[in-house]
Amino acid sequence: MCGIVAYIGPKEAYPILVKGLKRLEYRGYDSAGVAVLNGALHVYKKAGKVSELENYTIGKDVSATIGIGHTRWATHGVPNDINAHPHLSNSGNLAIIHNGIIENYDSIKQELIKRGYQFHSDTDTEVLVNLIEEVRKQENATLEDAVRIALNEVVGAYAIVVIDRNNPNQLVAARKGSPMVIGIGENEFFVASDASPIIEYTKQVVYLDDQEYTVINRDGSFYIKTLGNVIKSHAIQKLEMSLEMIEKGGFEHFMLKEIFEQPKVIADAVRGRMNAQDGWIKLGGINEYLNKFANAKRIIFSACGTSWHSAMIGEYLIEDLARIPVEVEYASEFRYRNPIINEDDVIIAISQSGETADTLAAIEMAKERKAMIYGICNVIGSSIARASHAGSYTHAGPEIGVASTKAFTAQITILTLMALQLAQARGTISSSKLREILVELENIPAKIERALKLDEQIKEIAAIYKDSSNFLYLGRGYNFPVALEGALKLKEISYIHAEGYPAAEMKHGPIALIDENMPVVFLATNASAYEKIISNIQEVKARKGKVIAVVNEGDKHVRSLADHVIEVPATEEVLSPLVTIIPLQLLSYHIAIMRGCNVDQPRNLAKSVTVE
Ligand code: F6R
């Protein structure tokens, strides 16, 4: 978490830094700061959003052509002005911005205190900048050498940029475990956590790899080295992102824009990867490893949050269609519980950001145990994408709203193609059924469009239940993970307690919660469990619960029982999550707006969880 941005070149740095920080705010937004160097090193930082920082700097000296900026998601120390970045070394010569965690900061801090250093903040970052200062003093080292030597002493994750008050012509930046991209413009350079602060200035970028650092000079020269001091060659890549992709495009919030983008996102995710008429599927990465996949003894998904819900749908799809045993693991548990992993297991990591620390660590652990790693990521060039042996991008475009929406449906689309391709290779699906599902997959964008037209009706339902303290979401089969995802969407952006359950599990506990104040959202579209879900709805009604049911268009039976029905277009059961999640995303969005919540930047959250 945390967003970092730095600039060196002929332009005014401050406006570039502030604009960049606003684009990175999704990564953390509890405080923000900049350091600009113009003879003097000026540091301005404020608790709160980047806009607070902007107000604070009005009338202050921000004119400089080199600077660093940071937007924070607090790890060590509460969000306040003092703990905000940048942090200065004791001499005031060095300023640093840092995304990540230094795990052994306390022992280093005690050692530095013994040597006379004083600390003003509670952060691990202030320890790091003083360690660099101390190394520089002890070893009479250049800034580059001091940074490298210091980083070899720390344990943890970081993306850092350091500047020196006495050298306005150089930036030193390094990464391990946190993302970093360098933008290369005309005699100017940018460094940032992702490409969004860079995109309007240059499309030429270099992604720094783990355990690498770069020294960037104002004269236009730069080089990359490993933390072992070995020079690395670097490939300049062209950004595929455009400016309009990271703007709101007329929507009030990124989340709403991203919900409404889903028809296009699904169409983009399947483009060039399947042909319904001819019945072929070619998912990049699977082709080269088809044998490995088709003969896998087991597929293990590892992911977090919404991506973990996609993984559950992946489990249902692959077991149902391709008949390969699947396990779904929370990456944070998987990485630490000493799991049994064999060479003929395939590990699939799912991650929108491609930077989630636990998911990344889980695949590194599985790689050491010789498993094949397949990554399903949205962010191109992200750490998980690069750490995987093969993979597929979801191509959903930048997802900026902190609550994941379009990335979820794009992930499910990829998983559907994967399950079908494996089923075809293993002969577990007939060619007619395969074609039927592929044809229907092509119809999904239009069906989502229809579901999006329910927006006004969903807003009315939101108005009725916006003050509820609890919600239950119930579904069966493919709609069980959708229930989990619906509950997560609601709690993370509206702060209403919500739980998702398999509908039949209700009577093993949650039914005790049901009274006239409990709204229960039922997903009642799947034919295979229809009668059973009707019984579950009756059980809730018998206890005076309020039922909001998502049903197929034209459903009469549920209408006679439920307080509200939301009719979505019917589809193949295996594809139903792609449609049934839409009203749940809209419901959580409208409830959150009506409760005055910041839907794009919910409290305590960050888009990219690069700490464990
Ligand atoms: C929920 C949400 C989070 C993420 C989780 C994993 O809306 O966004 O639960 O899904 O932090 O993130 P990625 O997919 O980037 O690994």
Side-chain angles (χ1 to χ4, degrees), residues 84-248:
H85 299 213
H87 287 283
L88 287 177
S89 62
N90 273 195
S91 68
N93 282 337
L94 302 183
I96 192 172
I97 47 174
H98 169 213
N99 165 28
I101 288 186
I102 305 302
E103 289 168 16
N104 58 341
Y105 83 102
D106 198 40
S107 55
I108 298 171
K109 187 173 182 176
Q110 298 318 319
E111 186 54 40
L112 289 171
I113 288 171
K114 277 193 217 145
R115 295 182 191 198
Y117 282 82
Q118 288 180 348
F119 291 91
H120 310 285
S121 74
D122 306 317
T123 65
D124 49 344
T125 306
E126 195 187 6
V127 175
L128 179 57
V129 72
N130 281 306
L131 177 64
I132 295 169
E133 175 147 298
E134 175 64 6
V135 170
R136 193 148 85 142
K137 213 163 68 190
Q138 292 300 326
E139 311 268 331
N140 197 16
T142 60
L143 179 60
E144 170 192 345
D145 289 343
V147 167
R148 189 189 58 251
I149 294 165
L151 290 180
N152 277 304
E153 284 182 34
V154 304
V155 178
Y158 47 78
I160 58 164
V161 186
V162 188
I163 54 174
D164 177 357
R165 175 166 65 179
N166 298 312
N167 186 359
N169 300 318
Q170 192 176 73
L171 295 171
V172 178
R175 74 157 280 195
K176 182 181 165 213
S178 300
M180 179 173 278
V181 54
I182 306 164
I184 303 164
E186 289 270 311
N187 296 320
E188 61 183 356
F189 293 92
F190 308 79
V191 179
S193 301
D194 72 26
S196 62
I198 296 175
I199 184 77
E200 69 192 88
Y201 309 104
T202 177
K203 294 219 163 195
Q204 310 291 316
V205 295
V206 174
Y207 292 95
L208 215 61
D209 271 325
D210 252 0
Q211 318 240 31
E212 287 181 357
Y213 70 93
T214 179
V215 178
I216 299 173
N217 297 308
R218 189 182 289 280
D219 65 9
S221 64
F222 81 105
Y223 52 85
I224 294 174
K225 283 184 172 178
T226 65
L227 288 180
N229 203 14
V230 176
I231 201 98
K232 282 284 298 276
S233 61
H234 52 266
I236 296 182
Q237 299 186 26
K238 191 160 185 289
L239 281 179
E240 286 178 18
M241 199 190 270
S242 70
L243 196 55
E244 94 183 347
M245 282 164 125
I246 55 169
E247 288 177 342
K248 284 191 197 145

Side-chain angles (χ1 to χ4, degrees), residues 303-309 350-357 359 376 378-379 384 399 401-405 407 411 485 488-489 492-493 605-609:
C304 303
T306 290
S307 297
W308 187 86
H309 297 153
I350 307 183
S351 175
Q352 186 286 130
S353 62
E355 300 295 344
T356 300
T359 310
I376 300 179
N378 192 37
V379 177
I384 293 171
E399 190 180 64
V402 164
S404 193
T405 53
Q411 288 164 351
E485 175 61 7
L488 177 63
K489 286 294 85 94
E492 70 183 324
I493 60 169
L605 292 176
K607 186 74 186 156
S608 175
V609 186

Side-chain angles (χ1 to χ4, degrees), residues 34-44 60-64 68 86 88:
V34 292
V36 289
L37 180 53
N38 58 8
L41 184 54
H42 300 281
V43 177
Y44 305 109
K60 299 209 163 58
D61 182 4
V62 291
S63 180
I68 56 180
L88 287 177

